[in-house]
Amino acid sequence: MDWVYISSFIGLVTLGCLQYYFGYRDYKKLGMILPVIFIGLVIYFIIKGTMTFSVRDILMPLLVLFTLAGVWNNGYEKKQKAINKELDKMKAKDQQSM
């Protein structure tokens, strides 16, 4: 039974890394795939009756959505900082050559 928890953890880490990569590479459409799939699964489980309208079943999906959006945003911001740093280096070299 421990392998189920280990494989679930590995899967979640992999999805988080994938979402971060999509943000870093500025893939906005691909960054929306995981949240849309997750929303679809939540709606499916609500229709099926597996999830109820309890506080836990409402807050946890929202927490996951905000986490996915935050992970994508972290990757996006890191890429933007790297681009700005490179541009600053280029501007400094241009000013030195003048």
Side-chain angles (χ1 to χ4, degrees):
M1 187 91 143
D2 289 335
W3 65 272
V4 173
Y5 295 117
I6 292 171
S7 63
S8 297
F9 179 74
I10 291 172
L12 288 173
V13 169
T14 303
L15 289 176
C17 291
L18 188 65
Q19 190 73 358
Y20 182 84
Y21 175 75
F22 290 155
Y24 188 80
R25 299 300 295 174
D26 197 18
Y27 294 141
K28 293 179 182 174
K29 290 180 183 175
L30 289 177
M32 288 299 298
I33 288 176
L34 291 177
V36 167
I37 289 172
F38 180 74
I39 290 170
L41 285 173
V42 169
I43 291 171
Y44 171 75
F45 287 135
I46 288 174
I47 290 172
K48 188 177 176 186
T50 306
M51 292 178 71
T52 59
F53 286 104
S54 65
V55 173
R56 180 189 61 145
D57 288 343
I58 299 298
L59 290 180
M60 290 307 288
L62 289 175
L63 179 68
V64 171
L65 284 175
F66 288 132
T67 302
L68 286 172
V71 168
W72 185 90
N73 193 38
N74 284 342
Y76 181 76
E77 286 179 356
K78 183 164 179 137
K79 179 67 172 193
Q80 294 304 315
K81 285 180 185 178
I83 290 172
N84 288 337
K85 188 176 179 182
E86 189 66 31
L87 287 173
D88 289 341
K89 285 181 185 178
M90 291 170 59
K91 287 178 186 176
K93 279 189 175 184
D94 286 344
Q95 290 177 354
Q96 285 179 350
S97 65
M98 289 182 169

